[in-house]
Amino acid sequence: QVQLVESGGGLVQAGGSLRLSCAASGRTLISYAMGWLRQAPGKEREFVAAISWNGDRTYYADSAKGRFTVSRDHAKNTVYLQMNNLTPEDTAVYYCAVNRGGSLYSPRQYDFWGQGTQVTVSS
């Protein structure tokens, strides 16, 4: 069983930056692709970014391309999401999760969700 704990969220003005962290315990993440997903109020959970098990490939939603960067540190068993040039449309609860081997772009293909971290971007 893997436990994931997200941190780094907060309130930021439009144009600002945040770095989210996802720390894992209970099992190493080295064999798993990992994803960041988000859910805004009244909306379905959506894919944001993902990274392959060894970190050599990254994947982004169109809304995140050019602004967000996903990375991982196997030694720390941690995955990160650097978010730059934030807009109010990025306001959501951000989750990290373990990909079960299916499409990296589908929220349904993720397990072991963390509790999420709130990101609020003011205009």
Side-chain angles (χ1 to χ4, degrees), residues 17-71:
S17 299
L18 286 172
R19 188 193 194 204
L20 306 184
S21 298
C22 172
S25 62
R27 184 184 295 180
T28 177
L29 297 179
I30 195 169
S31 299
Y32 302 100
M34 296 293 297
W36 284 96
L37 304 98
R38 68 187 183 186
Q39 188 165 20
K43 295 187 177 180
E44 293 187 354
R45 198 166 291 185
E46 65 177 4
F47 169 79
V48 177
I51 187 166
S52 61
W53 71 272
N54 62 354
D56 68 339
R57 286 168 290 173
T58 55
Y59 309 82
Y60 298 95
D62 287 343
S63 60
K65 288 178 182 175
R67 300 188 301 128
F68 294 3
T69 302
V70 58
S71 61

Side-chain angles (χ1 to χ4, degrees), residues 73-96:
D73 185 334
H74 282 306
K76 295 182 178 180
N77 217 24
T78 299
V79 181
Y80 304 96
L81 184 67
Q82 176 67 45
M83 304 188 296
N84 299 327
N85 194 21
L86 287 160
T87 73
E89 288 69 35
D90 295 315
T91 295
V93 177
Y94 284 71
Y95 301 89
C96 68

Side-chain angles (χ1 to χ4, degrees), residues 1-2 4 7 10 29 42 44 50 62-63 83 88 98 105 111:
Q1 190 81 1
V2 175
L4 302 174
S7 61
L29 297 179
E44 293 187 354
D62 287 343
S63 60
M83 304 188 296
V98 178
Y105 296 94
D111 289 323

